[in-house]
Amino acid sequence: MSYDELADLYALQYEDYSGDLDFYARLASRHGGPVLELGAGQGRVAAHLARRGTEVWALEPSAAMRRRGEASTRGLPVRWIAGDMRDFELNRHFPLVIAPFNALMHLYTLTDQNATLERVASHLNTGGVFAFDLYNPLQIKADGALRLEGRYGRIEVYYRQEHHPASQRLTTYYVIDEAGPDGVLKRRHNRLDQRYFTRYEIERWLAGAGLVGRVAGGFQGQPFSEKSPLMAWTARRVS
Ligand SMILES: C[S@@+](CC[C@H](N)C(=O)[O-])C[C@H]1O[C@@H](n2cnc3c(N)ncnc32)[C@H](O)[C@@H]1O
């Protein structure tokens, strides 16, 4: 799916999200750059790493997301690339490849997942690390109710989530209400589709491509459990 229509909403919702920044910055200082970021969005993580002196190659397919990313990283060592994580060739290896904030949930089929991991492995140094974070599917609480997500000035965002366990999919429907200066309500609708992964599904997926994965239940290395909000993965390419 394309983020072109979600780009302005994404900026309102997540511009200030910072829970994962230290995790990726620690990995970048341990492994060095350049770092390849898959699904770099509007440059939230790329800008953080680049401000700390790490060069980032930011791969992002959505033109609207990339435009915002280019603006937010102007003057920083970030190289933006229009591309798809399932099918890219950069003709170099990286010590660290990252896919922050559920970016891999846009891989909807086994073919998409395997193609991406094959591309990641072939761009990683031997001993290099692939790091990513994903929802913990055991924490999904999609009850179908329409809820307020947030208020951003004159804009109110509501959302409703549907969980489809048999296809491991989560669909989020957004209703975006904005009162114009004349008081007239403008209502927009958006939809976000995500495919979630289970813990051992990921371990086996990584092992199939020669990577050894370790999962934590948070960005400070907390043990993973059914109560963890997310899975923070680091996977080393061993062959
Ligand atoms: C949830 S956002 C995360 C953005 C950014 N990593 C962050 O942490 O703020 C997911 C991003 O993945 C991108 N994306 C979706 N499908 C993709 C694909 N096949 N290849 C590369 N990126 C993709 C979207 O366009 C979107 O910018």
Side-chain angles (χ1 to χ4, degrees):
M1 64 171 283
S2 167
Y3 266 63
D4 284 348
E5 274 118 59
L6 291 170
D8 60 337
L9 174 62
Y10 192 90
L12 293 174
Q13 292 173 299
Y14 301 120
E15 206 167 39
D16 296 331
Y17 172 59
S18 60
D20 54 354
L21 295 179
D22 284 351
F23 172 73
Y24 289 107
R26 277 197 305 274
L27 286 166
S29 61
R30 191 172 315 144
H31 298 284
V35 171
L36 170 60
E37 181 177 357
L38 307 178
Q42 306 187 354
R44 195 180 57 80
V45 177
H48 185 76
L49 303 189
R51 272 190 220 106
R52 278 152 189 74
T54 302
E55 182 187 338
V56 181
W57 290 39
L59 186 89
E60 170 57 48
S62 154
M65 296 293 271
R66 251 188 351 263
R67 261 195 306 278
R68 286 172 179 270
E70 280 160 0
S72 74
T73 56
R74 197 151 291 140
L76 293 170
V78 179
R79 180 190 297 224
W80 285 90
I81 302 148
D84 190 310
M85 62 177 117
R86 297 168 296 180
D87 176 24
F88 64 94
E89 179 52 70
L90 303 176
N91 296 306
R92 60 159 302 154
H93 289 91
F94 295 83
L96 178 64
V97 178
I98 63 175
F101 205 21
N102 301 316
L104 300 180
M105 292 181 82
H106 297 295
L107 301 173
Y108 301 105
T109 65
L110 292 180
T111 306
D112 289 349
Q113 293 165 5
N114 289 342
T116 299
L117 196 55
E118 189 276 324
R119 291 292 76 209
V120 168
S122 80
H123 283 80
L124 265 182
N125 295 337
T126 306
V129 166
F130 179 34
F132 51 95
D133 60 282
L134 294 166
Y135 281 158
N136 176 2
L138 301 169
Q139 282 293 310
I140 291 174
K141 295 180 186 82
D143 59 5
L146 188 64
R147 291 201 159 78
L148 179 68
E149 192 266 349
R151 289 197 172 89
Y152 311 95
R154 282 215 291 254
I155 299 179
E156 280 188 348
V157 179
Y158 294 83
Y159 74 104
R160 181 172 72 77
Q161 280 193 314
E162 279 177 8
H163 181 197
H164 304 281
S167 51
Q168 295 190 195
R169 283 202 186 216
L170 201 57
T171 306
T172 308
Y173 297 92
Y174 291 104
V175 179
I176 304 138
D177 282 351
E178 182 170 10
D182 52 2
V184 175
L185 180 72
K186 272 202 230 142
R187 175 163 286 177
R188 282 190 293 143
H189 296 268
N190 269 327
R191 170 190 172 141
L192 178 70
D193 287 304
Q194 293 170 304
R195 155 75 152 84
Y196 61 81
F197 291 79
T198 59
R199 182 224 185 132
Y200 291 116
E201 182 184 13
I202 295 180
E203 233 169 79
R204 188 180 287 274
W205 176 58
L206 293 169
L211 280 82
V212 176
R214 281 182 40 197
V215 65
F219 291 118
Q220 278 77 42
Q222 300 90 327
F224 177 70
S225 79
E226 67 278 10
K227 298 207 174 81
S228 305
L230 53 86
M231 298 187 278
W233 285 88
T234 46
R236 189 175 289 277
R237 186 185 150 200
V238 291
S239 59

